[in-house]
Amino acid sequence: MKFHIHTYGCQMNVRDSEAVEALLVAAGHEKAAHEGEAELVIVNSCTVRQKAEEKAIGKAGNLIAAKKLTGLMGCAVKRMGADVFKRLPKLDFAVGPRAFGLIPRIVEEGRFPRLELGDDLVPDCLAAHVEGGWQAFVTVLLGCDSRCSYCIVPDVRGHEYSRPAREVVAEVAALARRGVREVCLLGQSVLRYGVRNTAWDERDAPSPGGYTEAFPRLLEAIASIPGIERIRFTSAHPKGCTDELVRAYREFPQICRHLHLPVQSGSDRILAEMGRRYTREEYLAAVGKLRDFDPEFAVTTDVIVGYPGETEADFEATRSLMDEAGFDNAFVFKYSPRPGTRAAALADDVPVEEKERRDQVLLEDQERRGQERNDRLVGTKREVMVEGPSKRNKARLSGRDGGNRIVVWDEGAADVRPGSLVNVVIAEAHPQILVGERLPHCPTT
Ligand code: 5AD
Ligand code: SF4
């Protein structure tokens, strides 16, 4: 059967969709060239904010109306449970974020409607990858135990579970043999790898509430796999920015000097209410540690504006923290109450227009800050992994430096393949993009 998968949400969902694609192909189905051609369409949903959920449900509704065999997977399914069939009475099947391994069997059996919310993963489904490509996501930590007041993720993605390190290493080695050169290790709070359950062996006791050396050890093991030239991971929590992590950065140049470190707020009062388990000062100390190690270390973040009770002073604290941290990029979200979370019991008292204003102010600040941070890179040489033609100007090539910054340049030689490393000297800086000139071929280190 020809199928198409439509993905909303974070990299975790992108990765799960890729695994489903690989599982369906292995079961004899075929990826459609585009949605119109597909008989089966699966929507992978997000529920982190209400709008995200509505988009996925709306999309599934349209597909049902177009008489496609329609499945919904991911976070919104787990949040809604059986109610998903009230919203979409003609939906064929719905599977929760840990149950996607069942999809080939569900399609095969053809008994609709069907709902699978179970948390027991089908063995091996996590390691399924689509052939080809030079870049891959690898899930290392499932779920989340952090319970921030506003966040629905622990309810939908379940408890933390660290995959055994030998399984992860074998998966990355297999990817490397197929030509993958960059891996991105995924977990909601990936530095908590090995904290709740043992990831290495029985002698390695998990250290509840603390950060073990399990993640830096995993980085070390992956860095020694031939062919893996770049290692990224996301998302991080400042408590995980340990000396062991910095040591791993220092020892292994393959580990990209970029960390996505969501801060959420710069106000100690709001941080405490959110249950983030750090203060503004502790957060800035973590950023300082990374920038002491490498002043060009790229730090990006997520911020929520309009959390219940957020005053103008709290908001200004967020603004000033963002300046002090000197973020290279920031994603700003307007607070959205999620059913069942602790914050949902509080009045959502910041008016929509005020959330909008705060959002705009932070985006404008970041635009200026991004320009300033990128200006400092003019004249420097960046090692860039080639991704392909630039979206805006097909005559140019585009790639990313270790800091995840987008770099574009005019490419004379046609022999540059996606996934290869080239050196580019930066000539021009913009808030979100660097423009440079390719240096004549020189062996990459
Ligand atoms: N409202 C708005 N933003 C949220 N996020 C998580 N939960 C909510 C919510 N209820 C944001 C956080 C997180 C990002 C993925 O989404 O900033 O880091
Ligand atoms: Fe990702 Fe969270 Fe959205 Fe789920 S709810 S797709 S974990 S962002």
Side-chain angles (χ1 to χ4, degrees):
M1 196 179 318
K2 285 195 176 171
F3 70 89
H4 178 83
I5 307 177
H6 204 90
T7 307
Y8 294 91
C10 64
Q11 281 112 325
M12 212 80 66
N13 264 18
V14 174
R15 167 66 197 121
D16 293 349
S17 291
E18 192 224 357
V20 171
E21 181 184 329
L23 293 169
L24 285 172
V25 168
H29 301 286
E30 188 190 338
K31 189 184 172 187
H34 53 86
E35 191 185 285
E37 193 192 276
E39 299 149 80
L40 162 67
V41 182
I42 299 170
V43 178
N44 195 353
S45 62
C46 171
T47 186
V48 75
R49 287 168 296 279
Q50 198 188 336
K51 275 216 173 103
E53 182 175 290
E54 279 163 13
K55 269 194 216 157
I57 300 291
K59 180 75 192 173
N62 292 342
L63 292 165
I64 292 166
K67 303 231 179 317
K68 302 274 185 192
L69 181 65
T70 308
L72 190 67
M73 62 183 274
C75 298
V77 172
K78 186 76 176 180
R79 191 196 75 73
M80 297 170 86
D83 284 353
V84 72
F85 289 103
K86 286 192 192 142
R87 279 291 301 276
L88 299 166
K90 291 190 175 151
L91 181 68
D92 294 298
F93 63 90
V95 297
R98 286 200 183 188
F100 63 80
L102 295 169
I103 289 178
R105 206 190 306 162
I106 292 171
V107 173
E108 174 73 31
E109 291 172 359
R111 284 188 283 110
F112 306 125
R114 183 115 172 238
L115 176 67
E116 294 288 347
L117 296 173
D119 286 340
D120 299 328
L121 275 163
V122 177
D124 299 333
C125 73
L126 278 172
H129 282 273
V130 170
E131 296 274 346
W134 52 273
Q135 191 185 34
F137 289 122
V138 174
T139 303
V140 302
L141 178 73
L142 309 177
C144 185
D145 281 336
S146 290
R147 303 236 152 244
C148 302
S149 65
Y150 52 84
C151 188
I152 194 148
V153 171
D155 293 333
V156 294
R157 289 227 169 221
H159 279 299
E160 270 172 18
Y161 168 73
S162 299
R163 291 178 67 203
R166 71 188 132 71
E167 223 175 274
V168 175
V169 171
E171 182 173 329
V172 177
L175 288 166
R177 284 194 295 275
R178 287 191 197 172
V180 166
R181 298 154 79 87
E182 177 179 309
V183 287
C184 181
L185 310 178
L186 296 179
Q188 285 298 338
S189 191
V190 73
L191 303 178
R192 280 178 58 84
Y193 182 74
V195 172
R196 185 166 183 269
N197 68 291
T198 298
W200 287 87
D201 60 44
E202 295 65 40
R203 286 164 298 164
D204 249 2
S207 64
Y211 285 79
T212 64
E213 287 196 19
F215 190 69
R217 273 179 73 187
L218 184 68
L219 291 176
E220 181 179 339
I222 290 173
S224 67
I225 297 172
I228 298 298
E229 302 198 41
R230 277 190 169 177
I231 304 168
R232 301 185 182 279
F233 46 91
T234 196
S235 278
H237 185 279
K239 274 209 157 59
C241 295
T242 58
D243 293 343
E244 289 75 22
L245 184 71
V246 175
R247 198 177 309 140
Y249 277 118
R250 187 170 291 122
E251 260 175 63
F252 304 103
Q254 305 96 304
I255 307 175
C256 291
R257 292 169 183 189
H258 164 231
L259 203 57
H260 186 63
L261 200 58
V263 65
Q264 315 299 4
S265 171
S267 151
D268 278 337
R269 190 180 70 83
I270 298 287
L271 286 172
E273 295 221 351
M274 287 176 163
R276 291 291 295 169
R277 298 176 294 114
Y278 53 82
T279 61
R280 170 194 178 97
E281 201 179 328
E282 285 165 335
Y283 181 89
L284 288 169
V287 174
K289 205 167 180 173
L290 301 170
R291 295 256 173 80
D292 281 347
F293 158 63
D294 177 355
E296 282 174 15
F297 200 107
V299 183
T300 57
T301 204
D302 291 342
V303 174
I304 296 176
V305 291
Y307 183 82
E310 185 185 69
T311 63
E312 187 61 22
D314 293 321
F315 171 65
E316 285 300 327
T318 299
R319 272 188 95 182
S320 69
L321 173 129
M322 291 179 78
D323 258 339
E324 282 177 51
F327 290 121
D328 293 270
N329 205 351
F331 300 92
V332 183
F333 301 105
K334 286 169 269 189
Y335 171 72
S336 162
R338 305 310 291 128
T341 59
R342 272 180 289 134
L346 307 170
D348 181 12
D349 56 0
V350 178
V352 182
E353 312 78 59
E354 182 57 17
K355 284 182 187 166
E356 187 61 50
R357 187 190 70 85
R358 292 180 188 179
D359 181 24
Q360 281 308 318
V361 170
L362 296 188
L363 288 178
E364 279 164 32
D365 284 358
Q366 185 56 44
E367 189 83 350
R368 181 180 34 76
R369 189 179 305 116
Q371 180 74 56
E372 282 166 15
R373 293 216 37 97
N374 282 347
D375 279 344
R376 307 181 339 161
L377 300 175
V378 171
T380 65
K381 184 182 83 177
R382 319 301 306 161
E383 189 180 52
V384 178
M385 196 168 266
V386 180
E387 293 188 346
S390 151
K391 276 191 201 123
R392 282 194 215 148
N393 179 352
K394 295 268 183 277
R396 281 178 164 172
L397 274 185
S398 170
R400 283 172 196 266
D401 76 352
N404 216 29
R405 303 174 186 96
I406 298 171
V407 180
V408 300
W409 67 98
D410 288 321
E411 181 58 55
D415 63 336
V416 187
R417 278 182 300 126
S420 42
L421 287 169
V422 298
N423 287 314
V424 178
V425 172
I426 303 308
E428 218 181 282
H430 301 275
Q432 306 266 7
I433 206 166
L434 297 165
V435 184
E437 280 161 28
R438 164 95 186 273
L439 283 179
H441 181 76
C442 53
T444 48
T445 46

